[in-house]
Amino acid sequence: MFALWCATPLSLGGLDFKVNEIGITSTVISAISCPFNLFLYPLLAKRFSSLHAHQLFAVVFLVLILLAPNIHYLALIGQTAAVWVLLIACRVALVTSTCTCFAAQCLFICNSVSNEKLGRINGMAVFISDIFRSTSPALTGVLYAASLSQQSMSIGFPVNFYLTFIFFSGSALAMVLIMACSPSNINYKKA
């Protein structure tokens, strides 16, 4: 989604990035998120518990996905350095939030069943995850393209380039609410 938004012209709410600029942002984000997943996430989960880490990073994701499209306004006034700094910072925080939530959810799934049912539940979780991972890019692309149509742009906020970000924030809000109601024993393996 971010690659589409970055490549979108300024006149349509994007950042008007070239392909190499999008590649640079992806490379920087990967270089930062890999060490986070290997070294910092285990420390967070140990210090705060997976449930609390998930709750915290889900809220971070929710806030940042709503604020991210505003970087466009800095691009409009030619603040290139500010665009790069905020975009990289925002994307790193979003990617680490996503990784934290995904890792915690994997642990919750494993903790929610007995050892005899672990293979079956992991198979179902991977299957459902694959369905969403395969359909999400197409649905996001359709939603984003529709939000950039002449008719949608004439309506303005929230049906303009913000629409996809608002959709993702709605998903994040649902995740925050579900995790707020989750019992703390989800942090521990079911006997």
Side-chain angles (χ1 to χ4, degrees), residues 31-67:
I32 293 170
S33 65
C34 287
F36 174 85
N37 289 328
L38 290 172
F39 304 111
L40 294 177
Y41 174 74
L43 296 174
L44 279 171
K46 187 176 182 180
R47 172 119 166 88
F48 297 109
S49 84
S50 291
L51 180 60
H52 290 122
H54 188 292
Q55 290 168 334
L56 171 68
F57 280 90
V59 170
V60 168
F61 183 89
L62 172 63
V63 170
L64 288 178
I65 202 71
L66 283 172
L67 294 176

